[in-house]
Amino acid sequence: IQSDFDWDEYLRLLGPEAGDPAPAACFKQAAEPPSNHFQLGHRLESRDPRNPDNTCIASVIDRLGPRLRLRLDGSDDRNDFFRLKVKAAGNFAPADCFVRPPASPAKNFFAGGQKLEAIDRKNPLFVCPATVKEVRQDRIFVSFDGWRGAFDYWCRYDCRDIFPVGWCQRAGYPVQPPGNRAPQQPQPQQRYRGKHASGGSSPSPNSGTFSDKSAAASPQLPASSAAAPAA
Ligand code: MLZ
């Protein structure tokens, strides 16, 4: 996970053809990113990412900015598991760790070409620069900058996996640099190389949590549960 992405520099590189950042009012995200009061080892209830009808007990195994890395406890057999663990496990996260979700925008205010930050659902650890490629009723098509479309997705305008430009940095969560695969228009004049002009993308120190190792394999970290406390 890299942490030196710089939106200002990137937008400058893209030049005047690039769309503007989507205004904050487009997003269902708090004006100020919430602080994260969860602690490692805290237990909480979470939707089972493998079976969204199930609620499971999960433990906080890592935190970064407002996001949590959660691991499901035990099996996903709802009935057994719930009663057993609720009585036995302890260390439940106090209620005030959970932040009330922000209000939804009244409607879909997005417009094609706007820039945003979005969770890469195939690599949910990563928040990446992206562009609204299409708007259709309540949905937008999120296209990741510098990738050939393999990570793109449709989502509702009030989806919690998308953020205004700059939001994640303010929240203490790193944004990954764009890819360098055949960028679609608008064509960057040169490839984004990060803040440190000299040597391309050198791996930058991360904040000590959400290590690269956990980045590599995170099958139980769907975007939805990962973003639990982000209000
Ligand atoms: N290393 C992986 C991660 C790609 C992340 C893209 N995010 C939009 C790859 O190269 O496929």
Side-chain angles (χ1 to χ4, degrees):
I1 188 158
Q2 288 182 235
S3 54
D4 68 346
F5 177 68
D6 181 338
W7 269 109
D8 290 337
E9 186 193 347
Y10 179 54
L11 291 173
R12 208 167 40 242
L13 281 177
L14 291 177
E17 307 278 278
D20 290 332
C26 295
F27 297 86
K28 185 176 180 178
Q29 300 296 351
E32 275 315 306
S35 35
N36 189 341
H37 297 295
F38 287 91
Q39 281 163 19
L40 301 194
H42 266 158
R43 287 199 156 75
L44 46 86
E45 293 179 15
S46 169
R47 204 159 277 178
D48 181 344
R50 295 161 300 183
N51 181 354
D53 292 337
N54 283 359
T55 301
C56 291
I57 303 294
S59 299
V60 175
I61 60 163
D62 212 346
R63 339 174 314 158
L64 186 50
R67 297 185 84 199
L68 299 177
R69 181 175 168 85
L70 300 174
R71 181 160 297 160
L72 297 179
D73 293 6
S75 79
D76 57 359
D77 185 317
R78 174 167 43 179
N79 300 313
D80 290 355
F81 157 88
F82 223 130
R83 292 192 185 114
L84 194 74
K85 291 291 185 185
V86 167
K87 291 244 179 327
N91 197 21
F92 283 94
D96 59 7
C97 290
F98 297 87
V99 181
R100 204 174 289 282
S104 276
K107 63 181 183 98
N108 191 350
F109 292 115
F110 285 103
Q114 289 175 333
K115 294 288 181 196
L116 72 167
E117 304 177 345
I119 290 173
D120 172 350
R121 289 177 171 176
K122 293 189 177 161
N123 303 280
L125 184 64
F126 295 152
V127 171
C128 308
T131 303
V132 176
K133 274 289 145 79
E134 213 180 312
V135 180
R136 234 184 257 171
Q137 283 103 34
D138 281 351
R139 308 206 154 240
I140 63 170
F141 189 67
V142 175
S143 177
F144 287 90
D145 288 18
W147 298 90
R148 290 206 179 102
F151 305 98
D152 299 357
Y153 54 80
W154 284 95
C155 68
R156 281 182 54 91
Y157 66 91
D158 54 0
C159 164
R160 304 303 307 282
D161 292 350
I162 53 174
F163 309 88
V165 163
W167 196 97
C168 290
Q169 193 179 42
R170 281 193 288 130
Y173 198 95
V175 174
Q176 302 308 293
N180 55 12
R181 314 275 166 89
Q184 301 141 355
Q185 28 41 49
Q187 198 102 20
Q189 289 144 15
Q190 58 182 108
R191 172 157 111 70
Y192 177 83
R193 286 178 186 282
K195 262 183 216 160
H196 315 293
S198 55
S201 49
S202 54
S204 51
N206 63 35
S207 59
T209 53
F210 277 41
S211 65
D212 288 323
K213 200 167 159 230
S214 56
S218 55
Q220 314 111 310
L221 185 72
S224 51
S225 59

